[in-house]
């Protein structure tokens, strides 16, 4: 015994819709910009921020995912001491 489902009302749209005037593209190119550690987390509240970190020993490009009081934590679980950082640039 087959029963048909009840019909659902849907209204036809007769006027143009303009509700997407502002669009955000996540892959937008950024110019490199030097920031401090505090500014990094105020500007970008986004998970996995690409940065170029210059320390006393080396220069590395990593994805920063978090911070403790004294360290930055990268996407591949590397811990970088904030005291050793000379500069940070957004990529």
């Amino acid at each position: 015994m087959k029963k048909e489902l009840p019909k659902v009302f849907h209204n036809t749209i007769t006027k143009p819709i303009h509700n997407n005037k502002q669009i955000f593209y996540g892959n937008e190119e950024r110019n490199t910009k030097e920031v401090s550690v505090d500014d990094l987390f105020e500007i970008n509240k986004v998970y996995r921020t690409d940065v170029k970190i210059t320390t006393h020993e080396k220069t590395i490009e990593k994805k920063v995912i978090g911070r403790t009081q004294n360290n930055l934590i990268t996407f591949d679980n590397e811990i970088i001491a904030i005291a050793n950082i000379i500069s940070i640039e957004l990529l």
Side-chain angles (χ1 to χ4, degrees):
M1 184 167 169
K2 270 188 169 178
K3 288 187 177 181
E4 288 189 23
L5 295 174
K7 300 292 182 194
V8 177
F9 174 77
H10 68 281
N11 197 1
T12 58
I13 300 172
T14 58
K15 59 183 180 179
I17 298 173
H18 302 289
N19 61 357
N20 60 347
K21 291 185 179 183
Q22 294 179 350
I23 300 171
F24 173 76
Y25 292 101
N27 293 335
E28 185 175 301
E29 291 292 324
R30 292 188 217 162
N31 295 332
T32 58
K33 178 181 173 186
E34 190 169 330
V35 294
S36 69
V37 175
D38 294 328
D39 292 340
L40 178 66
F41 290 97
E42 286 180 20
I43 295 169
N44 285 327
K45 306 248 184 228
V46 182
Y47 183 67
R48 292 193 301 192
T49 304
D50 290 323
V51 294
K52 180 179 181 181
I53 301 173
T54 305
T55 63
H56 295 295
E57 298 89 26
K58 58 187 173 183
T59 300
I60 52 176
E61 292 184 7
K62 294 286 184 176
K63 292 179 188 267
V64 174
I65 60 169
R67 141 184 209 184
T68 62
Q69 195 169 21
N70 300 321
N71 301 313
L72 289 179
I73 303 169
T74 64
F75 186 68
D76 52 352
N77 290 329
E78 184 178 341
I79 296 176
I80 302 169
I82 293 174
N84 293 339
I85 296 175
I86 296 172
S87 69
I88 299 176
E89 295 178 7
L90 292 174
L91 297 180

